Amino acid sequence: MSFANFHRIIQKNDTVVLYVGIDNLYTLEVTPSIKNKHGSDVPNIFQTVYGALRVMDLVGKEFGTRVQLTRGWATVLYPTSELWTLTLPHRTQILYSTDIAMIIGRLNIGPGSVVCEAGTGSGSLSHAILRAVGTTGHLYTSDFHEERVKTAVSEFSRHGLGERVTVSKRDVFGEGFGAGDGSADAVFLDLPRPWLALHHAVNAVKLTGGRICSFSPCIEQVSKSCLAMESLGLQTITTLEVLVQEMSVRHTDVPVISIVPDNTPWKSQLKDVTNVLQCNNNNKRLKLDTSQADTTDGEEANQSSEMSDEKSAVERTGSSTEVGMETSNNTA
Ligand SMILES: C[S@@+](CC[C@H](N)C(=O)[O-])C[C@H]1O[C@@H](n2cnc3c(N)ncnc32)[C@H](O)[C@@H]1O
């Protein structure tokens, strides 16, 4: 029940996330036994690369603590929807947190929102929507795949989210969402041929301020959806691709050319400033002389370091490659 009611201490029947490593996370249910692949009940002992964990031993421990395994340790985490996305059992392709964040933000989904979704798939997005709408909102989610619907109902219920979601087995192309009727704050589509469901989306969503989002993996689908949206009279249609760009900042040496003539009056003052700096040629980084830096607080020290760095670079007229900084974008 841990998804719905935050608590610090792990209880029996909670869902928890076991963090063994950055690419080694698992969702566990804190129950005395589980079904094995033959359908028989067996003691709930979880095997990791660092050995076994008796899952019921987690009861009474605080979320965030390290737990002992037979040959190492792991950390037990509270199950956020982001961690669920990383660990859930896949029945379909799923949406990941980068897209989910943009979808929830652009659809303006928040506490009390009424949302229609199709298809439910593996429930990755659904969990994030359910957290966002809170106890006062509601999610109507549909999928035409019977088994996926059953699994989703069972997961939402085990996660304590059953009250705020209605899961329906339906083909939204023919039957629509069976909900909303002009009162939904938002409609979300993650289906092949979403343009076939758009007229139902328009019927479900509020005429004043309602929002519709369709997620498609290829541009041909995007194009058809945009044309269908236009012909249905939808306003402010935008298409987004969400890419994460990591930025890496590194220090490196570059040649510096002087632009200050020798007779510049303030050039002599530069020496005072640059005395504060020592250039460590071994690791190619700037170091502050601590005897002088001690008199400034952190922010001033940073500013002084930046200013000194600049002037120091100017001062080192004609010298080779002692000091320099470069930032670079890594688009990998
Ligand atoms: C890619 S999955 C959705 C994944 C989901 N967004 C998630 O994050 O887990 C697409 C789902 O749409 C369902 N689907 C496809 N066409 C449908 C239709 N016409 N009506 C209802 N569900 C449909 C499929 O059964 C599948 O489960």
Side-chain angles (χ1 to χ4, degrees), residues 69-237:
L69 305 171
T70 47
R71 290 189 301 280
W73 51 268
T75 306
V76 58
L77 301 177
Y78 191 84
T80 61
S81 49
E82 289 79 11
L83 289 174
W84 177 246
T85 289
L86 292 177
T87 54
L88 60 78
H90 283 223
R91 279 87 70 177
T92 59
Q93 296 217 339
I94 65 164
L95 287 172
Y96 288 92
S97 296
T98 309
D99 289 314
I100 290 175
M102 180 63 80
I103 289 162
I104 291 191
R106 296 290 291 235
L107 284 179
N108 222 4
I109 297 172
S113 296
V114 172
V115 182
C116 296
E117 177 196 27
T120 314
S122 305
S124 171
L125 176 69
S126 316
H127 275 77
I129 294 176
L130 288 169
R131 179 177 64 184
V133 301
T135 49
T136 52
H138 203 86
L139 171 66
Y140 297 90
T141 183
S142 307
D143 203 299
F144 63 10
H145 192 288
E146 189 161 4
E147 214 39 54
R148 289 176 197 153
V149 169
K150 279 189 191 157
T151 312
V153 169
S154 154
E155 271 172 0
F156 294 140
S157 149
R158 292 201 313 277
H159 296 167
L161 299 166
E163 296 283 298
R164 51 181 105 163
V165 59
T166 305
V167 192
S168 316
K169 183 200 162 298
R170 60 174 55 240
D171 180 343
V172 296
F173 296 157
E175 303 168 67
F177 297 90
D181 293 335
S183 67
D185 296 287
V187 176
F188 177 78
L189 305 174
D190 180 6
L191 316 153
R193 298 182 295 151
W195 52 92
L196 297 179
L198 276 171
H199 60 292
H200 293 301
V202 171
N203 289 337
V205 84
K206 274 179 184 166
L207 287 180
T208 49
R211 298 183 181 198
I212 297 173
C213 173
S214 173
F215 179 92
S216 293
C218 70
I219 195 66
E220 290 81 4
Q221 291 180 0
V222 171
S223 168
K224 281 192 176 176
S225 297
C226 288
L227 290 172
M229 286 178 180
E230 262 174 42
S231 68
L232 287 164
L234 295 176
Q235 304 288 309
T236 335
I237 303 166

Side-chain angles (χ1 to χ4, degrees), residues 25 33 59 66 116-117 123 155 158 192 203 229 247 255 276 288 290 300-301 303 306 315 317 321 326:
L25 296 106
S33 60
V59 173
R66 268 186 185 190
C116 296
E117 177 196 27
E155 271 172 0
R158 292 201 313 277
N203 289 337
M229 286 178 180
M247 191 181 276
V276 179
L288 267 182
T290 47
E300 281 168 0
Q303 286 171 0
E306 277 165 25
E315 172 66 3
T317 312
T321 59
E326 179 188 88

